[in-house]
Amino acid sequence: MRSLREALGQFATGVAVVTTATASGERAGVTVNSFSSVSLDPPLVLWCLSDRAPSAPVFLRAGRFAVNILAADQDELSRRFATPAPDKFAGVDVLATPTGLPMLAGTLATFSCRTVTVHAGGDHHIFVGEVEHHQRSGGEPLLFHSGRYREFASSPGW
């Protein structure tokens, strides 16, 4: 299993925090690198969450989620939302998306989504959501490769 994990870690990814809130106000957030665009028409994205994640029941109940694409200087946010804690949002600058979901301040982009379907995928849930609202601020991304955060490097002449 470790060998497979190390081989998969050779694929560099961006880092995102997926957040949600239920109608009763219960919030959850989790760091992911399993975010992907699925379709532009209709606008669909996907991300994956471990079946064992304490936040899985909240995401399944909420029916909505926001994907917050982290900037290069937001590795602390990545660590915070990757670590179990009673309130991961404590002390974090949180805004609201137009659809009322918790949105992290200072991210490169945010996608506010309605959950369309959830598929079983081995030991994970695969969430597919329709993008209802998005915004983009730009900047350098937080990257993850081989178990570590990495810096984005531009190639001369590009």
Side-chain angles (χ1 to χ4, degrees):
M1 185 80 73
R2 185 71 184 157
S3 175
L4 175 60
R5 185 181 185 114
E6 288 171 357
L8 290 169
Q10 295 308 299
F11 184 68
T13 66
V15 182
V17 171
V18 182
T19 56
T20 195
T22 64
S24 65
E26 184 179 14
R27 297 187 301 181
V30 64
T31 300
V32 303
N33 66 350
S34 59
F35 170 70
S36 181
S37 169
V38 175
S39 169
L40 291 176
D41 187 19
L44 300 175
V45 297
L46 71 76
W47 66 283
C48 302
L49 179 64
S50 171
D51 293 344
R52 295 180 312 275
S55 58
V58 180
F59 280 102
L60 291 167
R61 280 194 313 273
R64 305 181 92 66
F65 60 86
V67 179
N68 302 269
I69 308 298
L70 298 186
D73 63 350
Q74 293 182 310
D75 54 305
E76 177 54 39
L77 275 178
S78 174
R79 286 184 188 91
R80 172 187 288 265
F81 283 91
T83 306
D87 183 5
K88 294 180 182 184
F89 294 91
V92 174
D93 192 4
V94 179
L95 310 168
T97 68
T99 57
L101 292 167
M103 176 176 78
L104 305 179
T107 61
L108 298 184
T110 301
F111 302 89
S112 199
C113 305
R114 175 182 60 82
T115 303
V116 173
T117 188
V118 180
H119 300 279
D123 59 0
H124 279 65
H125 297 291
I126 303 166
F127 286 80
V128 178
E130 182 171 3
V131 178
E132 297 179 315
H133 181 267
H134 68 279
Q135 66 182 49
R136 174 181 164 279
S137 64
E140 297 297 328
L142 180 61
L143 300 176
F144 197 74
H145 174 261
S146 197
R148 294 182 15 202
Y149 295 109
R150 305 292 181 152
E151 291 185 30
F152 183 78
S154 298
S155 296
W158 280 66

